[in-house]
């Protein structure tokens, strides 16, 4: 738990060759112990609930996620001796099920035809039936989610680059990263433009990100907080993830590819303006997390 946060910052060199007057830095959230940015909010939701009594050792932490938040809940549940139960559609990849189970998490399967909304409905039913048995963090509505980024991620970025910072780029999933970081960065003495990334289409392959116009909008989202929303196509996010691996030696997930794609677009605008600047983008997780479900199993199992 002590290893969460204080993640390194990496300055890009190769892909920014044509942008000599702009610093582009990545905040490497892949360096968290669970391998993603979601360690911060998961840990904060658990510790806040333990300290105010919503979570007690006899309760089961339950939520509907098969992704990075599920890994984080499973990891901290094991570390703290708390029971964790995840609801996921039965057709999620074997790798996703195996990762959760390896931490001792139990899995309840929802109807594969109903997708992630079916998993959300089922977790709500479970909690409604036996509310005293469960702690349901609900990351989409829980203010501890964005507060983890307000107190952690954004403060660390300011410590690292300080007054040089001109732009911040992060994707919108639960929106916790953007809500927390942008609120903190807007309180800083110098103006920082906060750019939110969303997939350009409802059907997309940028896992972790939401196309807000066609999705259930998270309760923690306030549209007034980001200064700008930039849509990114799936192909551009995937291609940038490939480029970062080949040209920078940095193997990141696709949502991070989308963030860097957008960060370079912003950096090109800054370069053109002649004013110089410093852009910081979030790298949410590592690329190898996507081999099993998205490349290997798609071809050989499904
Ligand atoms: C890979 C990845 N990228 C981006 C995000 C979006 O972050 P947030 O939920 O803070 O908006 C997530 C969140 O689940 C994620 O797993």
């Amino acid at each position: 738990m002590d290893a969460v946060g204080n993640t390194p910052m990496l300055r890009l060199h190769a892909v920014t060759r044509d942008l000599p007057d702009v610093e582009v830095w990545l905040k490497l959230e892949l360096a968290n112990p669970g391998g993603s940015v979601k360690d911060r909010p998961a840990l904060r939701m658990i510790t806040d609930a333990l300290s105010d009594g919503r979570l007690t050792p006899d309760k089961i932490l339950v939520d509907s996620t098969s992704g990075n938040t599920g890994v984080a809940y499973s990891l901290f549940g094991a570390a703290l001796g708390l029971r964790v139960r995840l609801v996921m559609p039965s057709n999620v990849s074997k790798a996703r099920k195996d990762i959760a189970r390896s931490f001792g998490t139990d899995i309840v399967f929802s109807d594969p035809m109903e997708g992630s909304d079916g998993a959300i409905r089922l977790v709500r039913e479970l909690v409604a039936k036996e509310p005293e048995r469960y702690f349901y963090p609900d990351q989409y509505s829980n203010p501890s989610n964005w507060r983890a980024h307000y107190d952690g991620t954004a403060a660390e970025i300011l410590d690292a680059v300080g007054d040089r910072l001109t732009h911040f780029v992060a994707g919108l999933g639960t929106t916790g990263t953007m809500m927390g970081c942008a609120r903190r960065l807007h309180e800083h003495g110098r103006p920082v433009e906060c750019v939110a990334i969303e997939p350009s289409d409802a059907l997309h392959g940028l896992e972790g990100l939401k196309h807000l116009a066609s999705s259930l909008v998270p309760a923690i989202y306030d549209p007034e907080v980001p200064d700008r929303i930039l849509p990114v196509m799936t192909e551009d996010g995937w291609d940038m993830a490939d480029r970062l691996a080949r040209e920078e030696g940095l193997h990141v997930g696709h949502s991070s590819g989308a963030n860097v794609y957008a960060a370079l677009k912003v950096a090109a605008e800054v370069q053109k303006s002649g004013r110089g600047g410093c852009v910081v983008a979030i790298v949410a997780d590592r690329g190898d997390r996507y081999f099993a479900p998205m490349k290997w199993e798609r071809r050989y199992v499904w």
Side-chain angles (χ1 to χ4, degrees):
M1 287 160 59
D2 290 343
V4 174
N6 291 317
T7 51
M9 302 260 294
L10 179 83
R11 184 165 177 188
L12 293 177
H13 288 287
V15 298
T16 49
R17 235 177 265 112
D18 302 332
L19 306 164
D21 303 327
V22 194
E23 296 174 55
V24 181
W25 290 86
L26 304 184
K27 180 72 171 156
L28 295 185
E29 291 302 299
L30 49 70
N32 283 307
S36 88
V37 68
K38 304 309 295 196
D39 280 11
R40 294 179 189 263
L43 182 59
R44 180 69 180 260
M45 288 188 287
I46 290 172
T47 51
D48 284 354
L50 281 171
S51 60
D52 66 18
R54 280 172 295 143
L55 176 56
T56 44
D58 55 312
K59 286 195 177 170
I60 301 173
L61 186 159
V62 71
D63 215 332
S64 59
T65 164
S66 55
N68 286 326
T69 310
V71 175
Y73 287 146
S74 299
L75 169 67
F76 302 125
L80 289 164
L82 296 166
R83 290 177 65 193
V84 177
R85 182 165 292 168
L86 299 179
V87 181
M88 48 181 92
S90 58
N91 60 342
V92 304
S93 75
K94 183 173 179 300
R96 293 285 162 113
K97 295 170 192 163
D98 288 346
I99 292 172
R101 283 189 181 127
S102 67
F103 289 105
T105 289
D106 61 51
I107 306 177
V108 177
F109 292 114
S110 57
D111 186 339
M113 303 305 287
E114 293 182 27
S116 55
D117 284 353
I120 294 174
R121 277 192 289 274
L122 183 54
V123 80
R124 288 183 180 161
E125 275 171 37
L126 292 176
V127 175
K129 251 188 241 159
E130 295 180 284
E132 67 297 331
R133 194 164 178 219
Y134 291 113
F135 166 61
Y136 174 34
D138 187 7
Q139 56 172 342
Y140 293 96
S141 316
N142 192 329
S144 302
N145 176 351
W146 65 261
R147 285 194 185 120
H149 296 289
Y150 180 95
D151 292 330
T153 324
E156 292 166 26
I157 290 170
L158 287 174
D159 279 347
V161 293
D163 286 347
R164 302 206 308 285
L165 183 66
T166 55
H167 295 80
F168 170 73
V169 179
L172 297 175
T174 66
T175 77
T177 309
M178 180 49 73
M179 290 299 110
C181 288
R183 283 190 175 116
R184 178 71 186 80
L185 297 175
H186 284 152
E187 286 169 9
H188 188 58
R190 313 262 302 233
V192 178
E193 188 180 9
C194 295
V195 182
I197 305 311
E198 71 164 355
S200 55
D201 301 294
L203 272 179
H204 66 89
L206 298 172
E207 189 165 326
L209 303 190
K210 255 180 185 291
H211 179 256
L212 286 181
S214 63
S215 313
L216 281 171
V217 176
I220 59 169
Y221 182 60
D222 176 352
E224 300 293 316
V225 171
D227 297 296
R228 186 170 152 194
I229 296 189
L230 258 181
V232 174
M233 291 188 341
T234 295
E235 292 72 18
D236 291 331
W238 283 52
D239 288 350
M240 184 56 73
D242 286 347
R243 261 191 89 189
L244 289 172
R246 295 203 181 115
E247 296 179 35
E248 302 274 358
L250 186 66
H251 195 222
V252 304
H254 304 119
S255 77
S256 307
N259 286 352
V260 176
Y261 176 84
L264 294 188
K265 239 180 161 177
V266 170
E269 293 168 10
V270 175
Q271 176 70 32
K272 215 169 153 191
S273 76
R275 272 181 272 125
C278 171
V279 183
V280 173
I282 295 285
V283 163
D285 65 1
R286 285 159 46 145
D288 50 8
R289 187 146 284 181
Y290 299 91
F291 279 147
M294 302 197 75
K295 290 189 174 160
W296 192 80
E297 286 194 359
R298 179 182 286 175
R299 201 168 324 142
Y300 297 108
V301 180
W302 290 343

